Amino acid sequence: MMRTRPLKVALLGCGVVGSEVARIMTTHADDLTQRIGAPVELAGVAVRRPSKVREGIDPALITTDATALLKRGDIDIAIEVIGGIEPARALITTAFEHGISVVSANKALLAQDGAALHAAAEQHGLDLYYEAAVAGAIPLVRPMRESLAGDKINRVMGIVNGTTNFILDKMDSTGAGYQEALDEATALGYAEADPTADVEGYDAAAKAAILAGIAFHTRVRLDDVYREGMTEVSAADFASAKRMGCTIKLLAILERAPDGMSVTARVHPAMIPLSHPLASVREAYNAVFVEAEAAGRLMFYGPGAGGAPTASAVLGDLVAVARNKLAEATGPGESAYTQLPVSPMGDVVTRYHISLDVADKPGVLAQVATTFAEHGVSIDTVRQQGKDGEASLVVVTHRAPDAALSGTVEALRKLDTVRGVASIMRVEGE
C-alpha cells in the first residue's frame, strides 16, 4: 500500500552536486514515489550564501541554519553534500541524534572518521549510505558491501580520480607536458583552481581508505594509505612507458597479504601494460578492478565525478534509505570484524622502473648491477644509451619489497658514476 505522508528530506549543501540532487528530486518526484512506496519531499536546503539564485528551488526552503533544520523535528533523511570535515561531521552527528538517517558524498570525512560515524548510526538505529563518496555514478560501494559480502576480496585496483586521469591521458595521447595538460583540464572544468587534492593524490587516497575498509572488513583510515602525487610525471616517463608497451595511470591499489594476516593501501602513479583494461580508460572516466576469490575479476567503469553523475549515486542511496525507513529497518553498516593491521609501504612487493643518468664509461653497468644485488633486488631488463661521456641507464626490476627497492635507489644516488636519478616509477598490472 502506498503511503501518502511524505518522507521529508533536508539537503545540506547546494553546490554542483546538491543542485542536481534537488533538480532530480523535483523532476522525478512521481517516479521516486513509486519506487520508494511513499513521496519524498525536499523540506529544507541549508546553504552558506542564501542570496544566490538557485533555479528550480523554492526560496522558502533556503536556510543558513543547517543545525536548526535538522532539529526541527520532522526531517526523516539528510543528504550531506557540503564536503570537508566541519561542519559536515557535526551536522551528521546532529542528524543521528535526532533520528535522521544520512546519505553523504563526503569522502574526506568518511576516510578520516568513518568508524565514529558508523558507530553513531548504529547506536541510533539509523542508516549511513555513501555510494557517491567513492566513484561518482559508478555502483561500487553497494556491490562490494552487499553483492560480494559472501565472497573474499583479495585485491582492488583502479582509477578513482577523473581529473588526474584526464591529465595523464592527455600527456599520453598528445605528448603534452604536465602543466600544459593541467591547464587544459582547468579550462574544461575538470580541475579546480587549486588542483592539489587531485594531483597530489589526496582525493584518491580518501577513496582508497573507504574501499579498503569495505573490501577487507577492517578499519582503514586516510593516514593508513601510502600516497604519491603525479606532478613529477613527465613526457620522458611516457616515452619510457611506451617503449615498454605501457602507459601511466594514477592508481589506488588495495591488497590483502598472501597469508591473509594484513592489508595494504596505496595511491601512486604507475606504469601498466597497454593490454590491461585500465590502460584504455580515457579522459575523466574512472574504472575499478575488484578481484574476489569466488567471483573472479570484476570491473566497474563510468563517469567518476560531475554534478549529475554524483547526484545519480546520491539519489540511489536516498531510495534505499527511504525504503528502509518505511520498513523500519536499516541497511548494512560498518563491517570491521577482521581488524587486520595495515602494513607499511615498505612491506609491499612491487616492481620499479628506474631511469639513471650515468657516466658513459666501462664498468658502470656492473657497478649498478652490484648495488641492486647487494640489496636483494633482481634486475629484469636493462637498456643503456650514451654519447659524449654521458649515458642514460633504464633498469626494470623484478618484484621485491618496496623498502629494498627504495634502499637500492638511495645507494645508487651515492655512486660516483651516477649523475642523478631521472625518474622512478612502479610497474603494476602484470
Side-chain angles (χ1 to χ4, degrees), residues 150 188 256 315 359:
L188 292 172
R256 188 189 300 270
L315 268 294

Side-chain angles (χ1 to χ4, degrees), residues 13-264:
C14 197
V16 173
V17 176
S19 59
E20 280 295 311
V21 169
R23 181 188 67 78
I24 295 172
M25 284 187 66
T26 302
T27 58
H28 294 182
D30 291 342
D31 282 342
L32 290 173
T33 297
Q34 295 300 319
R35 294 169 193 169
I36 293 168
V40 285
E41 175 187 311
L42 189 58
V45 182
V47 300
R48 285 187 300 174
R49 296 187 295 275
S51 60
K52 181 180 177 180
V53 177
R54 293 173 171 85
E55 187 177 346
I57 298 177
D58 183 350
L61 297 177
I62 302 296
T63 178
T64 57
D65 194 339
T67 302
L69 173 61
L70 295 171
K71 289 183 175 181
R72 74 185 204 186
D74 64 340
I75 302 299
D76 297 290
I77 301 168
I79 297 175
E80 184 272 308
V81 286
I82 298 172
I85 306 302
E86 294 292 357
R89 174 168 49 195
L91 291 174
I92 291 175
T93 301
T94 298
F96 290 146
E97 290 171 349
H98 289 78
I100 301 168
S101 287
V102 173
V103 173
S104 176
N106 195 330
K107 53 188 169 287
L109 178 57
L110 288 160
Q112 178 172 306
D113 288 321
L117 295 177
H118 275 293
E122 183 177 358
Q123 176 187 349
H124 295 285
L126 298 165
D127 276 325
L128 173 62
Y129 275 52
Y130 44 90
E131 184 68 68
V134 174
I138 304 172
L140 182 58
V141 170
R142 195 171 298 133
M144 285 179 60
R145 72 174 184 173
E146 295 183 32
S147 302
L148 295 173
D151 207 339
K152 181 180 180 182
I153 296 174
N154 291 316
R155 194 168 196 256
V156 179
M157 182 171 81
I159 298 163
V160 294
N161 182 277
T163 300
T164 54
N165 199 58
F166 180 89
I167 293 170
L168 292 172
D169 181 45
K170 289 301 173 184
M171 292 177 70
D172 186 25
S173 60
T174 69
Y178 166 76
Q179 189 60 50
E180 184 182 351
L182 172 60
D183 291 344
E184 182 176 354
T186 304
L188 292 172
Y190 290 124
E192 301 287 346
D194 179 2
T196 302
D198 293 322
V199 300
E200 293 295 350
Y202 292 102
D203 175 87
K207 296 171 181 176
I210 295 169
L211 289 176
I214 297 169
F216 305 132
H217 305 283
T218 199
R219 286 176 180 162
V220 179
R221 299 179 74 252
L222 181 58
D223 292 344
D224 296 321
V225 181
Y226 174 83
R227 176 196 56 79
E228 280 183 26
M230 39 83 63
T231 56
E232 299 300 318
V233 177
S234 66
D237 290 325
F238 273 100
S240 293
K242 286 182 178 180
R243 282 192 288 268
M244 290 179 59
C246 292
T247 188
I248 299 171
K249 299 291 186 182
L250 185 75
L251 299 177
I253 304 171
L254 324 169
E255 295 176 303
R256 188 189 300 270
D259 63 4
M261 300 305 294
S262 65
V263 298
T264 58

Side-chain angles (χ1 to χ4, degrees), residues 339-429:
Q339 298 181 346
L340 296 173
V342 182
S343 296
M345 185 63 191
D347 292 346
V348 176
V349 177
T350 62
R351 296 180 67 200
Y352 270 26
H353 174 283
I354 306 169
S355 181
L356 303 171
D357 295 327
V358 299
D360 187 13
K361 62 182 184 180
V364 172
L365 180 56
Q367 192 178 31
V368 168
T370 298
T371 303
F372 276 91
E374 288 173 347
H375 288 80
V377 178
S378 176
I379 294 175
D380 183 13
T381 62
V382 177
R383 186 178 70 254
Q384 183 173 6
Q385 293 178 323
K387 64 178 181 178
D388 300 329
E390 297 295 328
S392 172
L393 190 65
V394 177
V395 179
V396 179
T397 73
H398 285 292
R399 291 170 63 81
D402 202 81
L405 289 160
S406 297
T408 304
V409 172
E410 290 308 307
L412 289 170
R413 294 182 194 275
K414 297 175 182 178
L415 296 179
D416 57 6
T417 52
V418 174
R419 306 285 190 249
V421 180
S423 70
I424 309 168
M425 192 167 297
R426 295 175 181 87
V427 181
E428 298 288 343

